[in-house]
């Protein structure tokens, strides 16, 4: 299924250019709240049959007539893998990037994960808002996003797929560290709108091999990033194993798997487009945010 969240936190199943509203399969106490999708994910095993029944009877609406929201607007945790493609590791050693953790860049398989604020999540209808910091650079990073479906604690890599609900396109926007300014990575990546996700949450059964997905990113029509998830240094299973050895992963948590080479600056007025095979695309304008 391709699941959308739209309008006033309605749950929709997308088919081509139309969407069918199936919100009523979730307990009404969650209606109108961003947590309605977390409830669907957590109880999907018991809700799938009524959802499919509701889908058959639901009226179609054109996607163009609804306002798409982030598919998972309130994840409990947003985790991210640092420097998880070899070519990106190489470019991050360039002095322009001022890496703050050289050891992690040299040993990405041991780097673990970092945390982004869930408040940085935005959706396919939201612009990327750059704070007014003219002396600083902001960079784009396209990544495959994983959404957890079942609690995972101490899960081995070979069983990680059992705990994945689905996948989505994810951007990890970053305030670059320059000179003597050494802000924590969490802060540099946690400005509002710095984690766009969407356009839909694609369930795992729709993605035969998440380790063989092409991902691309353009800025103003210029192709900046292009890779395949087969090039991940630490694979999806091992990422889940590492993280679940530290903290319990819960339904609705989001994990960003890392970005390939080609990271570069974005500025106010740019348009960023990101695409992953089978998951859709995000096209987002870059605007200036006031304090």
């Amino acid at each position: 299924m391709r699941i959308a969240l739209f309008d006033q936190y309605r749950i929709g199943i997308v088919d081509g250019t139309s969407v069918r509203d199936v919100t009523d399969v979730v307990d009404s106490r969650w209606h109108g709240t961003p947590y309605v999708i977390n409830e669907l994910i957590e109880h999907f095993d018991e809700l799938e049959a009524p959802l499919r029944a509701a889908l058959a009877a639901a009226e179609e609406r054109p996607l163009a007539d609804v306002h798409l929201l982030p598919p998972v607007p309130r994840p409990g945790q947003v985790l991210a893998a640092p420097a998880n493609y070899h070519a990106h590791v190489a470019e991050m050693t360039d002095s322009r990037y001022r890496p703050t953790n050289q050891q992690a860049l040299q040993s990405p398989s041991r780097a673990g994960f970092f945390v982004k604020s869930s408040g940085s999540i935005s959706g396919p209808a939201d612009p990327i808002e750059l704070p007014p910091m003219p002396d600083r650079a902001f960079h784009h990073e396209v990544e495959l996003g994983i959404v957890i479906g079942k609690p995972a604690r101490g899960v081995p890599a070979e069983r990680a797929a059992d705990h994945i609900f689905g996948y989505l396109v994810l951007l990890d926007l970053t305030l670059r560290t320059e000179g003597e300014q050494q802000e924590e990575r969490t802060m540099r990546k946690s400005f509002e709108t710095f984690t766009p996700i969407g356009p839909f949450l694609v369930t795992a059964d729709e993605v035969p091999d998440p380790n063989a997905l092409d991902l691309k990113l353009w800025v103003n029509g210029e192709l900046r990033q292009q890779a395949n998830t087969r090039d991940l240094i630490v694979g999806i299973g091992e990422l889940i194993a590492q993280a679940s050895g530290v903290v319990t992963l819960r339904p609705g948590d989001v994990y960003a798997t890392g970005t390939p080479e080609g990271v570069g600056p974005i500025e106010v007025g740019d348009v960023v487009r990101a695409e992953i095979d089978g998951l859709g695309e995000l096209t987002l304008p870059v605007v200036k945010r006031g304090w």
Side-chain angles (χ1 to χ4, degrees):
M1 294 181 180
R2 300 166 72 84
I3 302 173
L5 203 62
F6 66 95
D7 293 350
Q8 300 302 312
Y9 298 109
R10 306 296 295 178
I11 299 173
I13 305 301
V14 176
D15 183 8
T17 59
S18 64
V19 61
R20 294 176 183 266
D21 191 329
V22 294
T23 310
D24 288 344
V25 302
V26 175
D27 191 306
S28 61
R29 63 181 167 163
W30 300 105
H31 291 186
T33 77
Y35 303 102
V36 66
I37 191 69
N38 302 60
E39 187 73 3
L40 175 69
I41 293 170
E42 183 172 0
H43 300 286
F44 191 75
D45 285 350
E46 61 195 80
L47 294 177
E48 183 176 9
L51 185 153
R52 292 189 181 280
L55 180 61
E59 180 181 356
E60 285 190 4
R61 293 182 60 186
L63 265 177
D65 291 351
V66 305
H67 179 78
L68 290 176
L69 303 172
V72 189
R74 294 292 186 273
Q77 302 180 96
V78 181
L79 309 181
N84 203 19
Y85 288 81
H86 285 294
H88 179 51
V89 173
E91 75 176 351
M92 285 296 289
T93 61
D94 188 304
S95 61
R96 291 173 299 170
Y97 295 93
R98 305 284 182 184
T100 59
N101 188 345
Q102 195 69 26
Q103 183 176 6
L105 290 177
Q106 293 171 351
S107 305
S109 63
R110 300 174 58 188
F113 62 87
F114 62 91
V115 178
K116 297 190 69 167
S117 169
S118 61
S120 66
I121 292 285
S122 58
D126 302 318
I128 296 168
E129 299 179 356
L130 300 186
M133 303 171 72
D135 58 331
R136 306 302 296 277
F138 299 90
H139 283 194
H140 59 75
E141 301 182 14
V142 60
E143 311 195 12
L144 172 67
I146 299 169
V147 178
I148 299 299
K150 295 179 180 178
R153 175 65 170 156
V155 172
E158 61 270 19
R159 294 209 338 256
D162 297 338
H163 298 265
I164 296 174
F165 183 80
Y167 303 91
L168 39 71
V169 182
L170 181 148
L171 295 184
D172 176 16
L173 283 304
T174 305
L175 166 67
R176 284 296 173 206
T177 298
E178 298 178 0
E180 297 302 318
Q181 302 182 68
Q182 299 290 324
E183 295 93 341
E184 289 289 341
R185 188 203 303 257
T186 292
M187 193 216 79
R188 292 189 290 111
K189 290 175 170 283
S190 290
F191 288 90
E192 288 188 11
T193 75
F194 270 32
T195 313
I197 59 174
F200 317 118
L201 171 53
V202 181
T203 53
D205 61 305
E206 294 276 342
V207 185
D209 187 358
N211 296 298
L213 298 176
D214 288 328
L215 59 166
K216 299 176 183 178
L217 181 141
W218 298 260
V219 176
N220 302 328
E222 174 195 357
L223 183 63
R224 294 270 190 91
Q225 294 184 272
Q226 181 174 9
N228 188 284
T229 53
R230 72 171 65 93
D231 301 322
L232 286 168
I233 299 171
V234 183
I236 291 170
E238 184 59 31
L239 290 174
I240 299 300
Q242 286 181 354
S244 70
V246 177
V247 63
T248 300
L249 305 180
R250 302 193 181 279
D253 285 353
V254 173
Y255 201 127
T257 57
T259 196
E261 68 174 320
V263 168
I266 56 172
E267 300 178 348
V268 172
D270 287 343
V271 176
V272 179
R273 181 164 70 93
E275 176 183 88
I276 299 180
D277 278 352
L279 304 184
E281 69 175 52
L282 297 173
T283 301
L284 308 169
V286 183
V287 303
K288 182 178 180 179
R289 189 187 80 193
W291 291 107

